[in-house]
């Protein structure tokens, strides 16, 4: 058979399977093929990673092919993000965006360029605002719009609000204290800038005995919050550290060798407002706007509601959700949940109700956050299978698998080999100190499989290796999972994958 014809027929079979049209004989053959391999795989997996396993393999319609304790609720870790993505998308839609605004009430002096009146920033929890590596909306874009209006002077302190209440940032109450403030668990809320993290690039001074130099920082302006105490020493080694100051800044301490390369240090912002103030001042300076925080504020005219002086928008929801899943970005998932359900304690309850409604399951679904960082989340393998089978059939679920990482990318980068190509797998990992989960879709010539592999126990690293092996075994002759529209592809959003799952070890590893 000519190669092109073979490819077309293979793709047609996959499309028919996704639509429920796979030939019964071939589906039954595939079921036997899967079952014959699962028994041996599970015996080995349980031996290498003793603990609580829950496994379910199903066809595209959610009909079980092979299971092991499928109805037992287990801790899902970051696979909760799959559910948060679906819930939020069903509420706001795949094209929704989050705005960041400068709002003001007043008038512009055309001679001096002074804004006479009040103004404030409105932040609404856009995880992409000033995000690394700087490809999201930027504060300098807002400043440029102010300059284009002729504004050259701003007076008064920085006031920050959100469209639905105070612009704050807190830790979810259900997160363990040992997680809070680590790189994968920053403060979260409408006041979100650069993922509420900062980094500085440090170079040696001109000679031994001189202070080290800051040669880069992000977001721009954060260098004003860093006190440099690190010194230059002989050699190439560097022992540097950022420790927080009581005022929201940092002290750069330690030593760096005179012949050392530039080192990058990353820290979580303990006071995101201080970082915002520094970044906003830098953005205004960049556009030639003089900001005097202690300057006089003229009484604004009685013109009613504040007008939008400048606006930037997040990328569309689907773009943001794709990156959240690919990088397993905890603050991004929590902000998706807030986007859909608000900031109150009822938000996780609404997420739980959504999953139960879609799946028809009950007590084996209990979610307390949007990211899966809490050990109190519970989900059974059969509930995952039901969600992955049924949600794509809802009006808001079109192309839902395309929002999950493809094999070889993001948290699935270790599945780069052993498949005919990228896109054979669309799945999400979950990792905590005693959790290793992997759920998603796997394309096969006889139809897409839905897979839920859940492990809670003392050997998550060994469990993850077993999970990788099973996906390679089932997908060695797989086919790329087709989208049902040409309007979506896996490259929704660029950006760093640095927050993706690291090698498993005790404690959360950016789950």
């Amino acid at each position: 058979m000519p190669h092109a014809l073979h490819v077309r027929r293979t793709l047609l079979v996959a499309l028919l399977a996704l639509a429920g049209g796979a030939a019964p004989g071939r589906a039954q053959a595939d079921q036997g093929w899967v079952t014959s391999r699962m028994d041996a795989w599970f015996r080995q997996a349980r031996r290498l990673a003793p603990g609580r396993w829950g496994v379910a393999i199903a066809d595209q319609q959610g009909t079980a092919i092979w299971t092991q304790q499928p109805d037992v609720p287990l801790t899902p870790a970051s696979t909760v993000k799959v559910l948060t993505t679906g819930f939020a998308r069903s509420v706001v839609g795949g094209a929704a965006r989050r705005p960041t605004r400068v709002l003001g009430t007043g008038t512009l002096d055309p001679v001096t360029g002074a804004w006479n009146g009040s103004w404030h920033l409105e932040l609404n929890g856009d995880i992409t605002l000033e995000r690394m590596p700087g490809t999201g909306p930027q504060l300098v874009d807002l400043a440029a719009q102010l300059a284009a209006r002729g504004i050259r002077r701003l007076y008064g302190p920085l006031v920050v609000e959100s469209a639905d209440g105070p612009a704050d940032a807190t830790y979810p109450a259900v997160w363990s204290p040992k997680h809070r403030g680590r790189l994968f668990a920053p403060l979260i809320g409408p006041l979100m800038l650069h993922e509420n993290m900062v980094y500085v690039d440090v170079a040696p001074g001109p000679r031994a005995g001189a202070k080290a130099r800051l040669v880069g920082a992000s977001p721009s302006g954060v260098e004003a919050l860093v006190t440099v105490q690190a010194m230059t020493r002989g050699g190439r080694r560097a022992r540097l550290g950022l420790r927080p100051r009581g005022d929201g800044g940092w002290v750069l301490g330690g030593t760096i060798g005179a012949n050392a390369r530039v080192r990058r240090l990353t820290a979580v912002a303990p006071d995101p407002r201080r970082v915002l103030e520094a970044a906003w001042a830098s953005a205004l300076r960049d556009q030639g706007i003089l900001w005097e925080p202690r300057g006089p504020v003229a009484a604004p005219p009685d013109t009613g509601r504040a007008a939008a002086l400048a606006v930037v928008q997040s990328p569309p929801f689907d773009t943001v959700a794709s990156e959240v899943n690919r990088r397993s970005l905890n603050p991004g998932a929590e902000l998706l949940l807030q986007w859909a359900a608000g900031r109150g304690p009822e938000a996780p309850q609404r997420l739980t109700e959504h999953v139960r409604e879609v799946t028809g399951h009950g007590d084996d679904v209990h979610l307390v956050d949007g990211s899966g960082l809490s050990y109190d989340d519970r989900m059974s393998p059969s509930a995952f299978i039901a969600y992955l089978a049924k949600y794509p059939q809802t009006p808001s679920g079109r192309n839902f698998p395309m929002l999950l990482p493809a094999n070889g990318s993001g948290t699935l980068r270790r599945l780069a080999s052993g498949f005919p190509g990228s896109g054979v797998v669309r799945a999400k990992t979950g990792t905590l100190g005693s959790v290793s989960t992997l759920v998603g879709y796997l394309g096969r010539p006889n139809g897409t499989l839905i897979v839920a592999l859940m492990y809670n126990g003392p050997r998550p690293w060994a469990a993850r290796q077993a999970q990788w092996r099973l996906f390679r075994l089932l997908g060695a002759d797989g086919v790329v999972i087709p989208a049902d529209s040409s309007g979506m592809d896996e490259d929704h959003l660029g950006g760093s994958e640095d927050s993706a799952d690291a090698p498993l070890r005790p404690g959360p590893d950016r789950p």
Side-chain angles (χ1 to χ4, degrees):
M1 179 186 300
H3 177 70
L5 180 59
H6 173 72
V7 170
R8 286 196 296 271
R9 289 188 177 180
T10 299
L11 182 58
L12 178 61
V13 170
L15 287 167
L16 288 172
L18 282 170
R26 297 195 66 183
Q28 293 170 4
D30 207 47
Q31 178 173 343
W33 182 89
V34 171
T35 300
S36 67
R37 283 152 178 79
M38 287 301 303
D39 293 336
W41 171 83
F42 186 67
R43 284 194 299 271
Q44 183 184 39
R46 188 166 50 183
R47 184 175 66 255
L48 296 176
R52 300 180 66 196
W53 279 92
V55 179
I57 312 292
D59 63 18
Q60 182 69 21
Q61 289 71 43
T63 303
I65 296 175
W66 194 95
T67 64
Q68 180 67 222
Q69 298 292 316
D71 299 319
V72 175
L74 297 171
T75 303
S78 270
T79 51
V80 168
K81 294 180 177 69
V82 175
L83 311 171
T84 301
T85 298
F87 168 57
R89 196 188 201 213
S90 70
V91 174
V92 305
R97 298 174 183 264
R98 294 295 267 180
T100 301
R101 302 183 176 100
V102 181
L103 300 175
T105 302
T107 58
L108 174 66
D109 185 325
V111 176
T112 65
W115 177 256
N116 295 317
S118 63
W119 61 277
H120 67 271
L121 287 180
E122 181 191 275
L123 270 63
N124 294 303
D126 177 4
I127 189 64
T128 70
L129 181 63
E130 291 277 340
R131 69 175 177 84
M132 298 180 290
T135 56
Q138 304 286 299
L139 293 178
V140 72
D141 298 331
L142 291 173
Q145 292 179 40
L146 296 180
R149 284 178 170 268
I151 296 175
R152 292 292 180 266
R153 291 178 179 269
L154 284 178
Y155 299 102
L158 177 62
V159 177
V160 188
E161 299 178 358
S162 75
D164 61 353
D168 56 8
T170 61
Y171 294 115
V174 296
W175 282 8
S176 170
K178 69 179 182 180
H179 295 161
R180 299 174 187 175
R182 299 177 69 180
L183 293 180
F184 56 80
L187 289 161
I188 294 168
L191 182 49
M192 178 64 64
L193 184 79
H194 200 261
E195 299 178 9
N196 280 349
M197 295 193 300
V198 303
Y199 69 73
V200 296
D201 293 330
V202 185
R207 62 187 179 281
K211 283 189 175 181
R213 298 176 296 124
L214 293 183
V215 295
S218 188
S220 179
V222 78
E223 61 272 11
L225 302 180
V226 180
T227 300
V228 178
Q229 294 182 352
M231 302 299 293
T232 305
R233 296 285 185 261
R236 296 180 177 273
R237 292 188 176 184
R239 293 185 177 181
L240 299 166
L242 281 175
R243 66 177 187 273
R245 299 189 319 225
D247 63 353
W250 292 267
V251 174
L252 172 63
T255 61
I256 184 170
N259 298 317
R261 59 179 174 81
V262 174
R263 303 300 172 91
R264 173 164 292 180
L265 303 181
T266 306
V268 171
D271 184 352
R273 182 185 172 86
R274 287 280 283 141
V275 175
L276 174 63
E277 289 175 344
W280 179 237
S282 176
L284 292 174
R285 285 194 303 270
D286 183 87
Q287 295 301 309
I289 299 175
L290 175 65
W291 175 32
E292 298 185 35
R294 294 179 177 83
V297 179
D302 185 13
T303 57
R305 294 183 58 187
L309 304 179
V311 182
V312 292
Q313 299 274 6
S314 74
F317 174 89
D318 280 352
T319 298
V320 177
S322 294
E323 185 182 17
V324 167
N325 286 319
R326 188 172 71 247
R327 294 178 54 198
S328 205
L329 190 59
N330 291 318
E334 297 296 343
L335 289 174
L336 293 183
L337 180 59
Q338 291 184 13
W339 193 349
R343 289 181 269 164
E346 70 281 355
Q349 297 172 13
R350 290 185 59 189
L351 171 60
T352 299
E353 291 167 0
H354 162 81
V355 176
R356 289 177 175 177
E357 180 180 356
V358 170
T359 63
H361 285 244
D363 292 342
D364 57 338
V365 178
H366 177 69
L367 305 170
V368 300
D369 67 1
S371 60
L373 193 54
S374 173
Y375 274 97
D376 293 331
D377 290 310
R378 291 292 183 273
M379 189 79 175
S380 71
S382 60
F384 263 121
I385 293 294
Y387 191 87
L388 294 174
K390 294 179 179 180
Y391 180 71
Q393 305 306 316
T394 68
S396 58
R398 188 181 185 194
N399 276 319
F400 181 67
M402 300 297 108
L403 299 182
L404 305 182
N407 52 295
S409 68
T411 57
L412 300 189
R413 64 188 182 275
R414 293 180 180 85
L415 283 182
S417 61
F419 301 90
S422 179
V424 172
V425 176
R426 292 281 180 174
K428 181 73 190 73
T429 58
T431 309
L432 286 170
S434 58
V435 178
S436 175
T437 56
L438 182 57
V439 305
Y441 305 91
L442 193 156
R444 285 195 48 75
N446 292 345
T448 298
L449 297 177
I450 304 177
V451 182
L453 308 176
M454 305 186 70
Y455 170 82
N456 292 181
R459 301 193 66 184
W461 184 87
R464 176 55 47 79
Q465 305 315 302
Q467 292 162 355
W468 291 149
R469 284 195 296 273
L470 179 61
F471 266 73
R472 290 190 177 97
L473 175 67
L474 298 181
D477 60 345
V479 299
V480 173
I481 299 172
D484 56 8
S485 168
S486 61
M488 289 188 66
D489 58 57
E490 66 179 289
D491 297 321
H492 294 280
L493 190 65
S496 168
E497 294 178 355
D498 293 342
S499 294
D501 287 354
L504 279 81
R505 57 187 182 278
D509 51 6
R510 298 179 184 145

